[in-house]
Amino acid sequence: MDKPARTGRVTIRTVAADAGVSVAAVSKVLRNAYGVSDNLREKVLQSIEKLGYRPSTAARGMRGRTFSVGVLLVGMDNPFLPPLVDGFKHAMGKAGYKTLIGVGEARTHVETALIESMIDMRIDGLLLIGPRISGEALNKYADQVPIAVIGHHEAGATGFDTANTNDFEGGRLATRALIDKGYRDIAMLCLTDNRRKEGEVWYEREKGYRAALAEAGLKKSARSFRITERPDDMQAELLSLLARPDLPEAFFCWSDIHGVPLINLARRKGLNIPGDLGLISFDNTAAAALPLIELASVDQTPGRLGATAADQLLTRIKGRTTPRHDLIAPELITRPSF
């Protein structure tokens, strides 16, 4: 249906008059206040859509909340991220919040600039996914706005919250599964070690991998092969790895980012998976489940992670000061790759 022509700015009073309700009722719908009936909400939302009303974020910010939150992604190429962001947006939307998304491009200066811009927009909260900035910097920003972080472990942090899969346990779970299958020469494929380690998810997974080997009396056989995340360089490094004379019996891959291309390249080289090589990865992305891939992978339930982070932000916004550091138990999704 075409929107009616307007001769002036649409205000909350315009919406109230069109819906046949009070200004206070429209305000309650906009704030997602408790006790608003479905019938009232539907009437007001229909008028908002028909009139093209947009609440002034700046004005709402002057009165208190803007009912908007920011999400900062480390990049766009990780297939684990869309369901995570969807889970977060769905939970925040139910609470009446809009979500603004920025991409940090895995660069610290870009991340900090985006965070500061979002704070300047008077957002009510901020979710950071896989940030490259330090915990000290996170605490500085948490003094200005409620912050939840996914992809960064810092259980001692008091200023901000974290929501993560138990990455240590996930690494141990995957490695134990390979050991139980009879593999003894098990290597880990992870990221280059020129990045800060403490708090990184891949480092927690590597600690879990090494713990499982130690528990099985295989501590001395631990090997970590470090591969770049850059797509242009990754394939050459993986092919070089597969050509090594000391190729291990099995790999635990820190992420499907490496695991999916590795299983694909290994099969193209004529290796039997399993048989010549066993593989387990992490993230359980859609690509890992494809019939021609069938890569066993540790599931992080990304939608649940996003919803957990949303709950952390909402309770922080409402005044909670005690920190939360939620860990979700991982689950190994078994497929015929090991």
Side-chain angles (χ1 to χ4, degrees), residues 5-59:
R6 299 197 302 269
T7 58
R9 184 171 68 88
V10 178
T11 69
I12 191 171
R13 294 183 181 279
T14 316
V15 173
D18 185 82
V21 299
S22 68
V23 171
V26 176
S27 178
K28 285 183 178 181
V29 172
L30 292 173
R31 290 185 288 109
N32 198 36
Y34 177 78
V36 174
S37 69
D38 290 341
N39 182 54
L40 173 60
R41 179 177 286 106
E42 183 63 25
K43 285 173 64 176
V44 171
L45 291 178
Q46 284 180 0
S47 292
I48 286 173
E49 182 177 0
K50 181 175 72 174
L51 297 171
Y53 173 67
R54 289 189 302 158
S56 168
T57 299

Side-chain angles (χ1 to χ4, degrees), residues 159-218:
F160 59 90
D161 301 319
T162 61
N164 291 292
T165 298
N166 189 332
D167 290 292
F168 174 86
E169 187 56 37
R172 185 161 62 178
L173 180 68
T175 308
R176 281 177 174 171
L178 290 168
I179 293 169
D180 290 344
K181 279 284 187 175
Y183 295 102
R184 291 298 177 265
D185 182 10
I186 304 166
M188 182 173 175
L189 199 61
C190 54
L191 293 176
T192 54
D193 56 4
N194 59 353
R195 284 168 41 188
R196 177 175 51 86
K197 284 187 175 181
E198 292 297 335
E200 296 277 2
V201 296
W202 66 268
Y203 185 48
E204 291 296 312
R205 295 168 193 177
E206 184 176 11
K207 289 194 290 188
Y209 154 76
R210 292 180 179 274
L213 289 181
E215 291 162 2
L218 301 170

Side-chain angles (χ1 to χ4, degrees), residues 37-100:
S37 69
D38 290 341
N39 182 54
L40 173 60
R41 179 177 286 106
E42 183 63 25
K43 285 173 64 176
V44 171
L45 291 178
Q46 284 180 0
S47 292
I48 286 173
E49 182 177 0
K50 181 175 72 174
L51 297 171
Y53 173 67
R54 289 189 302 158
S56 168
T57 299
R60 294 174 83 182
M62 291 174 66
R63 294 193 298 270
R65 299 180 193 171
T66 62
F67 289 89
S68 60
V69 292
V71 174
L72 181 61
L73 309 177
V74 69
M76 293 288 288
D77 54 353
N78 189 336
F80 168 71
L81 295 177
L84 190 159
V85 174
D86 282 348
F88 175 80
K89 287 178 60 181
H90 179 71
M92 295 304 301
K94 286 178 65 177
Y97 285 78
K98 296 180 294 185
T99 300
L100 310 175

Side-chain angles (χ1 to χ4, degrees), residues 131-294:
R132 298 298 170 92
I133 59 178
S134 67
E136 182 181 356
L138 291 174
N139 271 317
K140 180 185 73 172
Y141 292 122
D143 287 338
Q144 304 173 62
V145 66
I147 288 179
V149 185
I150 293 175
H152 174 88
H153 292 267
E154 193 166 344
T158 58
F160 59 90
D161 301 319
T162 61
N164 291 292
T165 298
N166 189 332
D167 290 292
F168 174 86
E169 187 56 37
R172 185 161 62 178
L173 180 68
T175 308
R176 281 177 174 171
L178 290 168
I179 293 169
D180 290 344
K181 279 284 187 175
Y183 295 102
R184 291 298 177 265
D185 182 10
I186 304 166
M188 182 173 175
L189 199 61
C190 54
L191 293 176
T192 54
D193 56 4
N194 59 353
R195 284 168 41 188
R196 177 175 51 86
K197 284 187 175 181
E198 292 297 335
E200 296 277 2
V201 296
W202 66 268
Y203 185 48
E204 291 296 312
R205 295 168 193 177
E206 184 176 11
K207 289 194 290 188
Y209 154 76
R210 292 180 179 274
L213 289 181
E215 291 162 2
L218 301 170
K219 181 178 180 179
K220 292 183 178 180
S221 69
R223 289 191 285 168
S224 293
F225 293 96
R226 305 190 182 279
I227 304 293
T228 181
E229 281 182 287
R230 296 187 300 272
D232 293 344
D233 302 324
M234 185 190 304
Q235 180 163 316
E237 292 185 21
L238 290 174
L239 285 171
S240 177
L241 175 66
L242 290 170
R244 291 178 64 105
D246 61 343
L247 188 68
E249 297 175 338
F251 276 110
F252 163 50
C253 302
W254 82 280
S255 169
D256 290 353
I257 290 174
H258 284 150
V260 170
L262 178 63
I263 195 171
N264 184 45
L265 290 172
R267 285 179 173 144
R268 283 171 58 184
K269 283 180 63 69
L271 295 175
N272 293 317
I273 310 292
D276 298 321
L277 188 65
L279 295 175
I280 295 180
S281 188
F282 211 109
D283 287 341
N284 191 37
T285 57
L290 289 172
L292 295 180
I293 300 294
E294 293 189 307

